Amino acid sequence: MSFIDKLKKNDNLYFALRNKKVIIGAVIFLALLITALIGPIIAPYDYEEFAGAPYANPSFQHLMGTSIFGRDVFSQVLYGLRSTFVVGFVGGTLGTVIGLIIGFFAGYRSGSMLDEILMMMTNILLVIPTIALLIILSAYLPYRGVITQSMIIGFTSWPWVARAVRSQTLSLRNKEFVNLSRISGASTFKIIKDDIAYNMFSYVFMVYILQFAGAILTSVSLDFIGLGPTKGISLGLIMQDAVNWNAIQLGMWWWAILPGVVLTVLVTSLYFINTGLDEVFNPTLREM
Amino acid sequence: MKSFWRIFLVLSIVVLMFSMSFGATYDRSKTLVAGGGLWNTPTNWNPFTPWNATTGTVGLVYETLFTYDPLTDNLRPWLAEKGEWVSDSEYLITLRKGITWVDGNTFDANDVYFTFDISRKYELSYSNIWNYISDVQIVSKYEVKIIFKESRYHEWSYFLYQQPIMPHHVWENMSQSELLETANKYPMGTGMYKYESVGADRMVWVRNDNWWGNSLFGKPGPERIVYMQISGNNVALGMLMKGELDVSNFFIPGVPKIKSFYGLETYYKDAPYMLPENVAILFMDDNKEPMNDSNFRRAVAFAIDTKMIADKVYESQVQPAGPTGLIPIDSWKSYVDTKTETDYGFSFNPAKAKQILAENGYKDINKDGFVETPEGKTISLELIVPNGWTDWMEAAKIMATGLRNVGINVTAKFPDYSVFLSLRQKGGFDMLIDNASSSVSRTPWTYWNWVASNRIYTDEITAGNWGRYENKDLFQKIVDFNFAKDGSAESKKIAAEIEKTLLEDMPSVPLWYNGMWFQASTAYWTNYPTEENPVGYPSTWGGKWQIGGLDMLINLKPVK
Amino acid sequence: MSETIMKIDHLQKDFSIGLMSKKKVHAVNDVSFDIKKGEIISLIGESGSGKTTIGKLILRLLRPSDGHIYYNDKDITTDYKNKRDYYKKVQGIFQDPFASFNPLFKIDRIFDMIFKNFIESDKNKKEKINDALKCVGMNPEFILRKYPHQLSGGQLQRLLIARALIMDVDVLVADELISMLDASTRIDVLNLLASICKEKGMAVLFVTHDLSLGYYISDTTLIMHRGNLVEKGKTSLIYNNPVHPYTQMLLKSIPDIGKRWDKNEKFLPEDINKKIDDFYKNSDIKKGFIEVEDDHKVLFSL
Amino acid sequence: MTEKILDVKDLKLYYKTLKGYVKAIDGINFDIKRGEILGIAGESGCGKSTLGNGLILLKKPLNYISGQANLNGKNIMNLKNKEMNTLRFKDISIIPQFAMDAFSPTKKIKTFISDIVSQHNINPDEKFFDKVRERLDMVNLNHSVLNNYSIELSGGMKQRLVMVISTLLDPELLICDEVTSALDVSSQRFVANMIGDFRDKKIIGSAIFITHDLSILYQIADRIMVMYAGHIAEIADSDTIVKNPKHPYTKALISSLPKNDVQYKDEQLSGIDGTPPNLLNIGEGCRFRFRCKYATDICAKQTPVQEEISSGHTLACWNYKKAGSDKNV
């Protein structure tokens, strides 16, 4: 069997690799990820170094110009991209995993007291804005690093995952193959694993992508209102810096806008993957 | 859809009403729009709690006996006609005649007496004057005599232009709590402006056309001062560029670069653009290793490139501080002992810093690039400034880099302001930058009394000397200085000794002189204070009107 | 054809609406019937009649609120924990063949599960599966190791029948077994089921809403209406001599190919409830579930 | 009875997928005359619903390939969506599959109706609702349903409401897609009869009734069109289709249906072996040939053409004569 035939047998993979949105999104995402990983190696300067003349337009020497202090914006973006990915991975994973566990148990035990309590918790957290929590937390934490920020985002972003996963679990639980496994004497654990968890994979994968993007956007908005990490650098912090130091009024568009463009491209690539995968996983949308 | 329109309608009505009630438009050619000293919606005008009061409450409404111009070192009689030491322990204040409160009552010795007396009766913010005065006496309708237990010349001269005089007929029947808790809406004073209205983001002062000083000092230019609450310097810059803001007391990055394009004025045409206002100081915790070693502290002082900070972070809008930290205004400069400065001073010199470290046993034992203490303990220190104080954050990063370059492992960290405050007051930090009470004043005593405050024997300290540097001898010298007459040979001698101790022991390192940030738009007003036209110290911050802000107002001229 | 293997005795299932609410719905109300060896019983009712609930109760996917189910004279409602032995002999097939297979696994999984859980030795596993597949008319080579979506609904239902065959079950609950299948294939599945019953002596509870198919296949018919068993008995007796107004209405509304509905007859489904009420009211001579002729019982009052 | 409301000629509608074209409707010819109810029968995936939906709204991934569908002489396949909008509801209307699940649970029926007709530039005033009430009477629904929410109504009631709503503008052609499939047998009969009623009262001109259930079709359709895998197998009046089918597929289909006098123990019916072919990139040839016992070489080479063998009886089979003589299908 040739590779193509094998590929064709796995419908999801086959369609994913044929879906332009997925391909474009994935290529951009991977390119940015690689850039972030090797960022410090290819960065021409350190992100805190006074690399050249201040107020410099983008040029070959400074691809994204320099800041008011003469820092190289391109180098800052390379370093900042790393933190942005960290936030996405840590915040997104944490939010997804917590939401998954809670939604899963609530869904599997739906109608029970456990479900009621978990969902009450979820609904309460859903209406408390992350920012309010962060303001309270910041009073207790002397410093916030990127990881701390990601964890806070992760710990506050799970409720809607929990709700979505709960309803998924609920609908899967009532599927007839679950009943068939039950009358085939399968253990509860095996049913949960094979019949419910596996079937949620594609859904959870999409949720994860959205959580990833969501964590990044949340971190940027937090950075922007000054609740970002108190150490390190991220795309949000670069933009916040640019605004604080009047980059817009002073006409330094490269400082204010280019990091935002990179961020937009990153988040857009994720949404591309997401809508693309939506078409892949959902056969009625497979046609293009 | 229907509900959307309903909400939209309600919102637009609210917005409309909002803008009608607060957005009254004034004739711009007669109105001065200012910003930089108002951070919240104005809700308090109580001169007994000046730290809460809306800027202008003291100065524009309630006036002081004297004003002070740091540019000329001129302690100028204001409500007072004159004041003099009639003996070593008696100070006689003669008041101007013909001053009335805005409600028509005459201003006289009773009001001055009341202002002093009430702080004897109640525990008020300035009650500590009774530590050194013993009595206040009405000599005549326009004369008041203060009797001193201790003749603290320097402290007194500062008090004279700090304390506003309150109308006794308004306040005398109030209890202590009433006095301290009232918002005092519609403040009633003797000053050149009156309360007109208040909005969510602004305070509007209207000129008092019957002001007693019109004939003596001149009538203030603006009919109204609209004092805006502006959320940040970038907003202020935008407003300045569009001519929506006349006077800004914000630190604004980029001003040197663009001021000529938008017709903005600063005090100096070129670097340093701004007058100095206060000193940013590096404090080190004297109770922690290795900051308890004066040699280590000196090494730190040599490792900091303050010129780089001034040039890069501030675009030369500030000047690096001199070794003594004394701002070069006449009142402080005259006390700088140049010999002490040369013998014990410091400057940016990494080689020297390394040398001091090496000579005193700080060596890199574990070869991680950073020195260890003479006992061999690793050193890893944090330099903190509040998160969001962007200029200081940048400066701290440069300092940390400089310190690491000489082998001292320091990281710049940015806790939230509340955390910073708590560390500053309770201790526990390694290094921090602060400038809280280092503003220009009539006397360097205010500076020393803060930077080497002797009030360090409590769990929480609030009076400065954040590193809790203890030197009883130095503390005594600062007290002695207070007792020595201003300008006397004795006072200069003591000053030199204080400077020597501070430089030798280096409990704190003066870094740079923060500017009296001032940018003015010439769209509607001219004749702002500048180097060529030094008509006042251009500040509209609360508590600073009487050190030059009032003069600026008097000299302002409309463009049309 | 006389040995009773399962006895449904005054079975009751209530569902409460909402966690906090005390309101209850009687999904199954006092239902009793017997299942004899090798018998095909069709359990007929419209949506919401409780027919699927009965199937789930027998398959122990739900717990009864009251009443008993005896399998070989053993009350299975009291030892709810021990399911394995029961499932060895009592099995089910569900309505939607596509939903009955976990789409992520090859169809072999349904056989693997029963071999692992019910059949002591794996010996002859392959043979047994192949035999069963051949028996349901499928070629093992083309069927095994495929994913569910690669097969048709009819094939999937046959696989489930083959699964029951391997297990050699006594009672098979077939819930709307063929309702998702196309006309051209459903009759074959039915024929297969019926022939197995004959050969193996397997009893089938054929849960359906389709009266014509029920007539075709079953020996005994049970008619359900809103949780109540309203008429039961020999299929031919019920179809030719329906007594309960609901049964009469149902039979009138089946579209029969070759015979057109009477256009002049005013047919209003809304009238049925009133008719049933009147029937119950006017039948004061007869109370409860009463035999009207041999092997034909009718509910005369609630 | 001779005026053709809809005349379909060699119509091809394909689904475009990543793997190629799914030839869901592949060259079909039929017509509907005024006052006629045409039933379309066939197994799932035969293209009957595709046809119904395609006539109303061509929505991606369904693509119009070629042929004509002339509604009152105008080819609606070439119309722009805007032009088609003016026809929809008024000239051609549809009761789609699962329409009764489309009621908004948060809206009262009356509001729901107002919202729908407003989109078609009709003022939902009291005069309008008088007409609605008149129609409700016709389908034996109480006027009070207008003030109910959809969850308060049974499936049969909802389906009748859908029927009333989609025929409010007296469409020339009404397409009913599986309108009885989700209903209980007791409601089925009423709803099915309603279509005939509406036609008799000239509320609708004619109707297409799509279902997989031949026995329902036999009750209400004047003519029945049997589809198989995107092709038309046979069209004839309903009695002919049921009692004298010619096409092998129709024959097999009819004989597989349960009859009211046949029980398994007495006589065994038989189905059709095999499954319909995958329509993805399917080539020439009769699509039933894989399951047809009369299939010959030509069936694999050439798609059979539709042929009118007697007045009003059309079929597409190369070997129908051979099949016709065989009693034991």
Side-chain angles (χ1 to χ4, degrees), chain D residues 150-172:
Chain D
S150 66
I151 47 161
E152 297 170 302
L153 306 177
S154 73
M157 289 162 91
K158 276 191 278 189
Q159 194 64 290
R160 279 183 257 168
L161 258 176
V162 170
M163 178 85 194
V164 165
I165 294 170
S166 38
T167 56
L168 276 173
L169 295 190
D170 304 351
E172 296 252 29

Coordinates of all heavy atoms in Angstrom, one line a residue, chain D residues 150-172:
Chain D
S150 N -43.2 26.3 21.0 CA -43.1 25.1 20.2 C -43.1 23.8 21.1 O -43.6 22.8 20.7 CB -42.0 25.1 19.2 OG -40.8 25.1 20.0
I151 N -42.4 23.9 22.3 CA -42.3 22.7 23.1 C -43.6 22.3 23.6 O -43.7 21.1 24.1 CB -41.3 22.9 24.2 CG1 -41.6 24.2 25.0 CG2 -39.9 22.9 23.8 CD1 -40.9 24.2 26.4
E152 N -44.6 23.1 23.6 CA -45.9 22.7 24.1 C -46.7 21.9 23.1 O -47.8 21.5 23.4 CB -46.7 24.0 24.5 CG -46.0 24.8 25.7 CD -46.6 26.1 25.9 OE1 -46.7 26.9 25.0 OE2 -47.1 26.4 27.0
L153 N -46.2 21.8 21.9 CA -46.9 21.1 20.8 C -46.3 19.8 20.5 O -45.1 19.5 20.7 CB -46.9 22.0 19.6 CG -47.4 23.4 19.8 CD1 -47.2 24.2 18.5 CD2 -48.8 23.5 20.2
S154 N -47.2 18.9 20.1 CA -46.7 17.5 19.7 C -46.1 17.6 18.3 O -46.3 18.6 17.6 CB -47.9 16.5 19.7 OG -48.7 16.8 18.6
G155 N -45.4 16.5 17.9 CA -44.7 16.5 16.6 C -45.7 16.7 15.5 O -45.5 17.4 14.6
G156 N -46.8 16.0 15.6 CA -47.8 16.1 14.5 C -48.4 17.5 14.4 O -48.6 18.0 13.3
M157 N -48.6 18.1 15.6 CA -49.1 19.5 15.5 C -48.1 20.4 14.9 O -48.4 21.3 14.1 CB -49.5 20.0 16.9 CG -50.7 19.3 17.5 SD -50.8 19.4 19.3 CE -51.8 20.9 19.4
K158 N -46.8 20.2 15.3 CA -45.8 21.1 14.7 C -45.7 20.9 13.2 O -45.6 21.9 12.4 CB -44.4 20.8 15.4 CG -44.2 21.5 16.7 CD -42.8 21.4 17.2 CE -42.6 20.1 17.9 NZ -41.3 20.0 18.6
Q159 N -45.8 19.7 12.8 CA -45.7 19.4 11.3 C -46.8 20.1 10.6 O -46.7 20.6 9.5 CB -45.6 17.9 11.1 CG -45.1 17.5 9.7 CD -43.7 17.9 9.4 OE1 -43.4 19.1 9.3 NE2 -42.8 17.0 9.3
R160 N -48.0 20.1 11.2 CA -49.1 20.7 10.5 C -48.9 22.2 10.5 O -49.3 22.9 9.5 CB -50.4 20.4 11.3 CG -51.0 19.0 10.9 CD -52.3 18.8 11.7 NE -52.1 17.9 12.8 CZ -53.0 17.7 13.7 NH1 -54.1 18.3 13.7 NH2 -52.8 16.9 14.7
L161 N -48.3 22.8 11.6 CA -48.1 24.2 11.6 C -47.1 24.6 10.5 O -47.2 25.5 9.7 CB -47.4 24.6 12.9 CG -48.4 25.3 13.9 CD1 -47.6 25.5 15.2 CD2 -48.8 26.6 13.4
V162 N -46.1 23.7 10.3 CA -45.1 24.0 9.3 C -45.8 24.0 7.9 O -45.5 24.9 7.1 CB -44.0 22.8 9.3 CG1 -43.1 22.9 8.1 CG2 -43.1 22.9 10.5
M163 N -46.6 23.1 7.8 CA -47.4 23.0 6.5 C -48.2 24.3 6.3 O -48.2 24.8 5.2 CB -48.4 21.8 6.7 CG -49.3 21.5 5.6 SD -48.5 20.5 4.4 CE -49.6 20.8 3.0
V164 N -48.8 24.7 7.3 CA -49.6 26.0 7.2 C -48.7 27.1 6.8 O -49.0 27.9 5.9 CB -50.4 26.3 8.5 CG1 -50.9 27.7 8.5 CG2 -51.5 25.3 8.6
I165 N -47.6 27.2 7.5 CA -46.7 28.4 7.3 C -46.1 28.3 5.9 O -46.1 29.4 5.2 CB -45.6 28.4 8.3 CG1 -46.1 28.6 9.7 CG2 -44.5 29.4 8.0 CD1 -45.1 28.4 10.8
S166 N -45.7 27.2 5.4 CA -45.0 27.2 4.1 C -46.0 27.3 3.0 O -45.6 27.5 1.8 CB -44.1 25.9 4.0 OG -44.8 24.8 4.5
T167 N -47.3 27.2 3.2 CA -48.2 27.4 2.1 C -49.0 28.7 2.3 O -50.0 28.8 1.6 CB -49.2 26.2 2.1 OG1 -49.9 26.1 3.4 CG2 -48.5 24.9 1.8
L168 N -48.6 29.6 3.1 CA -49.4 30.8 3.4 C -49.5 31.6 2.1 O -50.5 32.3 1.9 CB -48.7 31.6 4.5 CG -49.1 31.2 5.9 CD1 -48.3 31.9 6.9 CD2 -50.6 31.4 6.1
L169 N -48.5 31.6 1.2 CA -48.6 32.4 0.0 C -49.2 31.6 -1.2 O -49.0 32.0 -2.3 CB -47.2 32.9 -0.3 CG -46.7 33.9 0.7 CD1 -45.5 34.6 0.2 CD2 -47.7 35.0 1.1
D170 N -49.8 30.5 -0.9 CA -50.4 29.6 -1.9 C -49.4 29.3 -3.1 O -49.6 29.7 -4.2 CB -51.6 30.3 -2.6 CG -52.7 30.7 -1.5 OD1 -52.5 30.2 -0.3 OD2 -53.6 31.4 -1.8
P171 N -48.4 28.6 -2.7 CA -47.3 28.4 -3.8 C -47.8 27.5 -4.9 O -48.7 26.6 -4.7 CB -46.2 27.7 -3.0 CG -46.9 27.1 -1.8 CD -48.0 28.0 -1.5
E172 N -47.3 27.7 -6.0 CA -47.6 26.8 -7.2 C -47.2 25.4 -7.0 O -47.8 24.4 -7.3 CB -46.9 27.4 -8.4 CG -47.4 28.7 -8.8 CD -48.2 28.7 -10.1 OE1 -48.9 27.7 -10.3 OE2 -48.2 29.7 -10.8

